Amino acid sequence: MIAETESVKGENKLKFGLFLGCNIPFNRPDVEQAMRKIFPALGVEIDDLKGQSCCPTWGTMPSIDIVAWCAVAARNLCLGEEKGIDLMTACNSCYGSLNEARHKMLTNPEIHKSVNEILAKIGKKYEGKSKCRHVAWVLYKDVGLEKIKESIKYTLDDITIAVQPGCHFLWPSNVYPDKEEDPFNPKVLRELCEALGAEAPYYSKLVDCCGMGALRSTDPEKSFTLVKEKLECIKDELDADMIVTTCSSCLIQLDDAQERLRKEGKLNFSIPVLHYVQLLALCMGFDPGQVAGISVTPRDEIINRIIKG
Amino acid sequence: MIEPEEGVPTVLNLSEIAEREKEEEEKVVEIVREFGAENLIYCMQCGSCAAVCPLARVGFEWYNKKLIKALLLGLKEELLDDPTPWACVACNRCTEVCPRLVSPFEVMFAVRRMMVEEFAIPTLAIEGLRALYEYGHAVYMTGREARKKVGLPEKPPSTDSDEQALKDLKTILKNTKLAELGLIPMND
Ligand code: SF4
Ligand code: SF4
């Protein structure tokens, strides 16, 4: 078990460093904009974490060397630690990489020492205090479902959502600051969606992999097999109105691969995909063009349904 | 030896492998243990990790359980050409369920690290490393229309808009194994 540090709550105010990663600011900046809108409105202060970099993602430093992985992660974590705040992210890969690196440093003094020797060259030191929180957990635990319910302008009546928490929201549960009671039957995202008035039932492939990331870059065919099975399950078992995820990679995969499968004649339906922060931003009444303006699979219909009631 | 009939997939030839030098066997296990897979020797081949692995599900050759068996048998050359470790999504379903605390994910990544030393690294991984060094972002795009469209400043508040931070990151990278390997130019 690793030491837990309390999130900083100066003057009853929640404050986090907004860790962006790569996919969100460059590929899906509407997710970034959604976070910049919802958190201040919910009383959560955001620090820009100026100078942040890639987490580092799995195909880079983690594939080269453990100390190198931890050193890049530690520089990012330092940016929060220097200000006495935790980081928060809407990308599961960042959540996984940063927390796994932190876990390695806190459980292996040799790694921690080597990392700090490298950090000393840029005048930094990582104490192990700051960690990275997931935005969904911040919304669930720190903001709370009641406050979310109070903050929304539109409710999702008669809307069925298929949830996709994504791998690094769940496993390995021992490295994360927040844990589901049963990581193979996750409830947090379902409850977050239900707080908006939607139905978010269990389906048999709820925890299955979307096939993104390394799998897709190594073998797109195999990746599309996985995502197709998942989408068909969502259609057959739930006939969902939309898919809602807490991971930027799942968002891109489920949205983008769907269109490719349709073009190849392998899929004959379309289900819009949103990140949870986007859905919340829409329900709170923010401009759809800014908070949910980028997608491959069309979203207009569902957005209109949400806004017009 | 009985030859498999046509259409029957080949399996590991255990009797042939067992004849390999004991020395070689220990060598590869020690290499991957050095690279972070310390606990692989505790594997009892129960298959729990394979049951939850997306790679095993879609038919990659050397998924977690089988890779561990191969390493314990001393195989190395056979693994170097195979893309499986590079397809691992690092999901850690396997780590969660392993009753022997092996962390098969760490084995996958230890094999990646071993492959990197032998320069058996996919082009895409090299590109990611280059972008990480150049911009501080492994996924990087020069086009900023999307950011402008949603009302955000062209550059995020990252190394992309902070020269000193990018310099710091480069200093860090130059002091890691990445520099020793010489996979990407790191002169500036
Ligand atoms: S779950 Fe653990 S013990 Fe079982 S086969 Fe996989 S690595 Fe070995
Ligand atoms: S971490 Fe890799 S080996 Fe383990 S279950 Fe996921 S894809 Fe399979």
Side-chain angles (χ1 to χ4, degrees):
Chain A
M1 272 299 112
I2 54 176
E4 293 298 337
T5 51
E6 268 301 304
S7 306
V8 175
K9 292 172 185 165
E11 293 151 32
N12 282 330
K13 225 178 167 203
L14 290 164
K15 185 173 177 181
F16 292 95
L18 187 63
F19 191 78
L20 298 171
C22 301
N23 266 325
I24 291 176
F26 298 122
N27 253 320
R28 297 296 175 118
D30 50 348
V31 175
E32 177 181 337
Q33 188 61 292
M35 291 190 285
R36 293 188 183 280
K37 299 287 182 197
I38 61 169
F39 283 111
L42 291 164
V44 180
E45 201 184 318
I46 285 176
D47 181 282
D48 257 348
L49 227 53
K50 194 171 165 300
Q52 57 176 291
S53 73
C54 172
C55 50
T57 192
W58 306 103
T60 62
M61 306 318 280
S63 304
I64 303 290
D65 179 63
I66 290 176
V67 170
W69 167 11
C70 292
V72 175
R75 195 193 70 88
N76 284 322
L77 291 164
C78 277
L79 299 174
E81 196 166 271
E82 285 157 7
K83 293 175 174 160
I85 54 176
D86 281 335
L87 282 53
M88 69 171 174
T89 182
C91 170
N92 281 13
S93 290
C94 297
Y95 186 59
S97 174
L98 289 170
N99 281 309
E100 286 214 31
R102 175 171 183 260
H103 184 260
K104 286 183 193 307
M105 290 185 272
L106 294 193
T107 53
N108 187 329
E110 247 175 74
I111 294 177
H112 198 175
K113 186 167 164 269
S114 308
V115 166
N116 274 331
E117 280 165 14
I118 298 174
L119 288 177
K121 298 192 192 295
I122 57 164
K124 286 192 188 297
K125 184 177 181 212
Y126 177 56
E127 308 263 6
K129 285 187 188 137
S130 271
K131 55 186 177 291
C132 184
R133 300 280 309 281
H134 197 291
V135 290
W137 275 107
V138 171
L139 290 168
Y140 186 80
K141 259 174 74 172
D142 302 56
V143 173
L145 299 179
E146 282 315 308
K147 184 139 191 193
I148 289 175
K149 283 180 197 163
E150 287 162 20
S151 73
I152 54 175
K153 218 165 128 185
Y154 310 112
T155 53
L156 304 178
D157 308 315
D158 304 318
I159 286 183
T160 303
I161 293 175
V163 298
Q164 165 74 7
C167 314
H168 297 109
F169 190 66
L170 305 168
W171 312 289
S173 59
N174 68 327
V175 307
Y176 294 124
D178 302 293
K179 306 165 200 1
E180 294 268 1
E181 211 170 290
D182 175 1
F184 284 97
N185 184 12
K187 300 270 166 65
V188 168
L189 182 53
R190 289 174 63 191
E191 287 182 33
L192 282 167
C193 290
E194 285 160 7
L196 307 176
E199 301 269 336
Y202 173 83
Y203 61 100
S204 59
K205 290 193 187 295
L206 195 155
V207 293
D208 282 23
C209 179
C210 72
M212 189 49 172
L215 210 163
R216 178 156 155 178
S217 40
T218 307
D219 192 329
E221 277 308 306
K222 287 190 169 70
S223 163
F224 292 142
T225 307
L226 271 183
V227 72
K228 182 170 181 276
E229 285 177 0
K230 177 136 201 163
L231 289 163
E232 279 168 349
C233 172
I234 287 170
K235 184 74 185 165
D236 291 349
E237 291 181 20
L238 302 185
D239 196 15
D241 298 297
M242 62 175 132
I243 299 169
V244 174
T245 179
T246 38
C247 173
S248 51
S249 295
C250 296
L251 168 70
I252 294 169
Q253 169 80 336
L254 291 164
D255 180 48
D256 176 88
Q258 223 184 105
E259 184 66 21
R260 290 180 199 226
L261 289 166
R262 275 192 296 271
K263 278 203 183 120
E264 289 173 22
K266 291 178 182 159
L267 202 71
N268 59 7
F269 57 85
S270 167
I271 309 175
V273 190
L274 288 163
H275 194 290
Y276 184 77
V277 294
Q278 300 183 297
L279 180 63
L280 179 54
L282 289 170
C283 289
M284 287 171 80
F286 291 108
D287 174 7
Q290 293 206 337
V291 300
I294 299 164
S295 74
V296 183
T297 297
R299 285 171 175 165
D300 300 349
E301 219 181 294
I302 191 75
I303 291 175
N304 282 334
R305 226 174 113 187
I306 295 170
I307 291 172
K308 306 227 166 79
Chain B
M1 197 183 107
I2 305 165
E3 289 297 332
E5 282 176 43
E6 215 178 319
V8 176
T10 48
V11 290
L12 278 184
N13 185 343
L14 297 180
S15 52
E16 181 214 334
I17 289 158
E19 283 160 23
R20 291 189 187 210
E21 297 287 324
K22 186 85 184 152
E23 210 178 288
E24 191 188 341
E25 177 182 316
E26 272 164 12
K27 222 169 66 197
V28 70
V29 170
E30 279 323 304
I31 295 172
V32 289
R33 290 188 78 197
E34 282 276 302
F35 283 137
E38 292 93 355
N39 290 352
L40 103 149
I41 48 171
Y42 304 123
C43 174
M44 60 177 182
Q45 289 288 296
C46 70
S48 301
C49 57
V52 293
C53 178
L55 305 185
R57 170 97 189 71
V58 290
F60 278 96
E61 179 76 25
W62 296 100
Y63 56 85
N64 43 27
K65 175 201 172 202
K66 192 172 163 191
L67 180 74
I68 292 167
K69 183 73 188 177
L71 292 166
L72 291 171
L73 287 168
L75 264 74
K76 183 178 170 197
E77 296 310 314
E78 288 83 345
L79 306 177
L80 288 178
D81 293 332
D82 185 81
T84 311
W86 294 96
C88 168
V89 291
C91 68
N92 277 297
R93 283 174 174 83
C94 52
T95 307
E96 193 78 19
V97 299
C98 174
R100 303 282 293 163
L101 307 181
V102 168
S103 188
F105 151 76
E106 291 291 357
V107 180
M108 282 284 173
F109 272 62
V111 172
R112 279 194 191 187
R113 292 169 200 137
M114 178 174 84
M115 290 167 96
V116 166
E117 288 233 319
E118 311 259 349
F119 298 103
I121 175 170
T123 328
L124 270 178
I126 303 260
E127 278 167 24
L129 287 165
R130 195 193 305 263
L132 176 66
Y133 183 80
E134 291 284 318
Y135 312 108
H137 289 283
V139 177
Y140 187 76
M141 277 166 204
T142 45
R144 296 304 159 84
E145 286 65 34
R147 289 188 64 80
K148 282 189 263 176
K149 186 185 161 213
V150 301
L152 286 169
E154 244 176 81
K155 292 184 173 214
S158 67
T159 41
D160 197 30
S161 55
D162 186 332
E163 266 180 48
Q164 184 57 44
L166 184 58
K167 227 178 117 201
D168 283 356
L169 178 67
K170 288 186 176 183
T171 304
I172 287 179
L173 293 173
K174 280 182 197 164
N175 282 285
T176 67
K177 192 165 170 193
L178 181 62
E180 289 162 35
L181 288 165
L183 292 168
I184 55 163
M186 295 171 78
N187 303 320
D188 64 318

PDB file of all heavy atoms in Angstrom, chain B residues 43-49 65 68 98-100 102 104, ligand 1:
ATOM      1  N   CYS B  43       5.393 -17.920 -11.682  1.00  0.00           N
ATOM      2  CA  CYS B  43       4.232 -18.304 -12.493  1.00  0.00           C
ATOM      3  C   CYS B  43       3.964 -19.804 -12.397  1.00  0.00           C
ATOM      4  O   CYS B  43       4.879 -20.614 -12.497  1.00  0.00           O
ATOM      5  CB  CYS B  43       4.481 -17.926 -13.959  1.00  0.00           C
ATOM      6  SG  CYS B  43       3.184 -18.505 -15.055  1.00  0.00           S
ATOM      7  N   MET B  44       2.700 -20.155 -12.175  1.00  0.00           N
ATOM      8  CA  MET B  44       2.345 -21.583 -12.141  1.00  0.00           C
ATOM      9  C   MET B  44       1.489 -21.968 -13.349  1.00  0.00           C
ATOM     10  O   MET B  44       0.828 -22.990 -13.343  1.00  0.00           O
ATOM     11  CB  MET B  44       1.626 -21.912 -10.839  1.00  0.00           C
ATOM     12  CG  MET B  44       0.332 -21.134 -10.632  1.00  0.00           C
ATOM     13  SD  MET B  44      -0.486 -21.673  -9.111  1.00  0.00           S
ATOM     14  CE  MET B  44      -1.966 -20.672  -9.153  1.00  0.00           C
ATOM     15  N   GLN B  45       1.475 -21.096 -14.378  1.00  0.00           N
ATOM     16  CA  GLN B  45       0.780 -21.398 -15.634  1.00  0.00           C
ATOM     17  C   GLN B  45      -0.702 -21.726 -15.437  1.00  0.00           C
ATOM     18  O   GLN B  45      -1.257 -22.587 -16.123  1.00  0.00           O
ATOM     19  CB  GLN B  45       1.494 -22.553 -16.353  1.00  0.00           C
ATOM     20  CG  GLN B  45       2.849 -22.163 -16.929  1.00  0.00           C
ATOM     21  CD  GLN B  45       2.718 -21.252 -18.148  1.00  0.00           C
ATOM     22  OE1 GLN B  45       2.193 -21.632 -19.186  1.00  0.00           O
ATOM     23  NE2 GLN B  45       3.182 -20.012 -18.002  1.00  0.00           N
ATOM     24  N   CYS B  46      -1.344 -21.003 -14.536  1.00  0.00           N
ATOM     25  CA  CYS B  46      -2.755 -21.284 -14.274  1.00  0.00           C
ATOM     26  C   CYS B  46      -3.661 -20.777 -15.397  1.00  0.00           C
ATOM     27  O   CYS B  46      -4.780 -21.238 -15.566  1.00  0.00           O
ATOM     28  CB  CYS B  46      -3.186 -20.658 -12.956  1.00  0.00           C
ATOM     29  SG  CYS B  46      -3.262 -18.850 -13.015  1.00  0.00           S
ATOM     30  N   GLY B  47      -3.173 -19.768 -16.137  1.00  0.00           N
ATOM     31  CA  GLY B  47      -3.950 -19.278 -17.271  1.00  0.00           C
ATOM     32  C   GLY B  47      -4.941 -18.167 -16.961  1.00  0.00           C
ATOM     33  O   GLY B  47      -5.640 -17.695 -17.855  1.00  0.00           O
ATOM     34  N   SER B  48      -5.013 -17.731 -15.716  1.00  0.00           N
ATOM     35  CA  SER B  48      -5.952 -16.648 -15.381  1.00  0.00           C
ATOM     36  C   SER B  48      -5.667 -15.403 -16.214  1.00  0.00           C
ATOM     37  O   SER B  48      -6.586 -14.740 -16.703  1.00  0.00           O
ATOM     38  CB  SER B  48      -5.838 -16.268 -13.901  1.00  0.00           C
ATOM     39  OG  SER B  48      -6.099 -17.372 -13.104  1.00  0.00           O
ATOM     40  N   CYS B  49      -4.389 -15.090 -16.364  1.00  0.00           N
ATOM     41  CA  CYS B  49      -4.015 -13.881 -17.109  1.00  0.00           C
ATOM     42  C   CYS B  49      -4.452 -13.978 -18.565  1.00  0.00           C
ATOM     43  O   CYS B  49      -4.909 -13.003 -19.162  1.00  0.00           O
ATOM     44  CB  CYS B  49      -2.516 -13.633 -17.004  1.00  0.00           C
ATOM     45  SG  CYS B  49      -1.510 -15.010 -17.574  1.00  0.00           S
ATOM     46  N   LYS B  65       0.554 -15.561 -20.707  1.00  0.00           N
ATOM     47  CA  LYS B  65       0.880 -16.864 -20.125  1.00  0.00           C
ATOM     48  C   LYS B  65       1.877 -17.640 -20.995  1.00  0.00           C
ATOM     49  O   LYS B  65       2.849 -18.216 -20.511  1.00  0.00           O
ATOM     50  CB  LYS B  65      -0.406 -17.687 -19.975  1.00  0.00           C
ATOM     51  CG  LYS B  65      -0.170 -19.096 -19.505  1.00  0.00           C
ATOM     52  CD  LYS B  65      -1.347 -19.997 -19.864  1.00  0.00           C
ATOM     53  CE  LYS B  65      -0.994 -21.445 -19.565  1.00  0.00           C
ATOM     54  NZ  LYS B  65      -1.797 -22.385 -20.318  1.00  0.00           N
ATOM     55  N   ILE B  68       5.373 -16.126 -20.912  1.00  0.00           N
ATOM     56  CA  ILE B  68       6.074 -16.464 -19.666  1.00  0.00           C
ATOM     57  C   ILE B  68       6.632 -17.879 -19.742  1.00  0.00           C
ATOM     58  O   ILE B  68       7.781 -18.136 -19.400  1.00  0.00           O
ATOM     59  CB  ILE B  68       5.130 -16.290 -18.453  1.00  0.00           C
ATOM     60  CG1 ILE B  68       4.808 -14.807 -18.259  1.00  0.00           C
ATOM     61  CG2 ILE B  68       5.755 -16.865 -17.185  1.00  0.00           C
ATOM     62  CD1 ILE B  68       3.661 -14.511 -17.316  1.00  0.00           C
ATOM     63  N   CYS B  98      -3.804 -12.228 -11.362  1.00  0.00           N
ATOM     64  CA  CYS B  98      -2.762 -13.239 -11.151  1.00  0.00           C
ATOM     65  C   CYS B  98      -2.654 -13.634  -9.674  1.00  0.00           C
ATOM     66  O   CYS B  98      -2.417 -12.801  -8.818  1.00  0.00           O
ATOM     67  CB  CYS B  98      -1.410 -12.727 -11.649  1.00  0.00           C
ATOM     68  SG  CYS B  98      -0.067 -13.876 -11.238  1.00  0.00           S
ATOM     69  N   PRO B  99      -2.829 -14.922  -9.385  1.00  0.00           N
ATOM     70  CA  PRO B  99      -2.778 -15.351  -7.982  1.00  0.00           C
ATOM     71  C   PRO B  99      -1.353 -15.432  -7.440  1.00  0.00           C
ATOM     72  O   PRO B  99      -1.151 -15.651  -6.251  1.00  0.00           O
ATOM     73  CB  PRO B  99      -3.420 -16.744  -8.026  1.00  0.00           C
ATOM     74  CG  PRO B  99      -3.162 -17.237  -9.405  1.00  0.00           C
ATOM     75  CD  PRO B  99      -3.147 -16.032 -10.304  1.00  0.00           C
ATOM     76  N   ARG B 100      -0.355 -15.288  -8.315  1.00  0.00           N
ATOM     77  CA  ARG B 100       1.036 -15.445  -7.885  1.00  0.00           C
ATOM     78  C   ARG B 100       1.807 -14.123  -7.940  1.00  0.00           C
ATOM     79  O   ARG B 100       3.035 -14.115  -7.876  1.00  0.00           O
ATOM     80  CB  ARG B 100       1.732 -16.484  -8.784  1.00  0.00           C
ATOM     81  CG  ARG B 100       1.033 -17.833  -8.793  1.00  0.00           C
ATOM     82  CD  ARG B 100       1.317 -18.659  -7.574  1.00  0.00           C
ATOM     83  NE  ARG B 100       2.718 -19.064  -7.526  1.00  0.00           N
ATOM     84  CZ  ARG B 100       3.323 -19.502  -6.431  1.00  0.00           C
ATOM     85  NH1 ARG B 100       2.662 -19.575  -5.307  1.00  0.00           N
ATOM     86  NH2 ARG B 100       4.585 -19.859  -6.463  1.00  0.00           N
ATOM     87  N   VAL B 102       2.607 -12.206 -10.288  1.00  0.00           N
ATOM     88  CA  VAL B 102       3.635 -12.179 -11.333  1.00  0.00           C
ATOM     89  C   VAL B 102       3.672 -10.817 -12.044  1.00  0.00           C
ATOM     90  O   VAL B 102       4.720 -10.336 -12.442  1.00  0.00           O
ATOM     91  CB  VAL B 102       3.381 -13.311 -12.354  1.00  0.00           C
ATOM     92  CG1 VAL B 102       4.236 -13.140 -13.599  1.00  0.00           C
ATOM     93  CG2 VAL B 102       3.643 -14.662 -11.711  1.00  0.00           C
ATOM     94  N   PRO B 104       2.015 -10.056 -15.200  1.00  0.00           N
ATOM     95  CA  PRO B 104       2.349 -10.385 -16.596  1.00  0.00           C
ATOM     96  C   PRO B 104       2.563  -9.139 -17.450  1.00  0.00           C
ATOM     97  O   PRO B 104       3.361  -9.163 -18.396  1.00  0.00           O
ATOM     98  CB  PRO B 104       1.124 -11.166 -17.071  1.00  0.00           C
ATOM     99  CG  PRO B 104       0.517 -11.722 -15.825  1.00  0.00           C
ATOM    100  CD  PRO B 104       0.759 -10.701 -14.764  1.00  0.00           C
TER     101      PRO B 104
HETATM  102  S1  SF4 C   1      -2.126 -15.612 -13.890  1.00  0.00           S
HETATM  103 FE1  SF4 C   1      -0.068 -15.463 -12.989  1.00  0.00          FE
HETATM  104  S2  SF4 C   1       0.424 -17.568 -12.326  1.00  0.00           S
HETATM  105 FE2  SF4 C   1      -1.353 -17.704 -13.710  1.00  0.00          FE
HETATM  106  S3  SF4 C   1      -0.418 -18.100 -15.742  1.00  0.00           S
HETATM  107 FE3  SF4 C   1      -0.676 -15.882 -15.561  1.00  0.00          FE
HETATM  108  S4  SF4 C   1       1.266 -15.130 -14.740  1.00  0.00           S
HETATM  109 FE4  SF4 C   1       1.226 -17.357 -14.399  1.00  0.00          FE
END
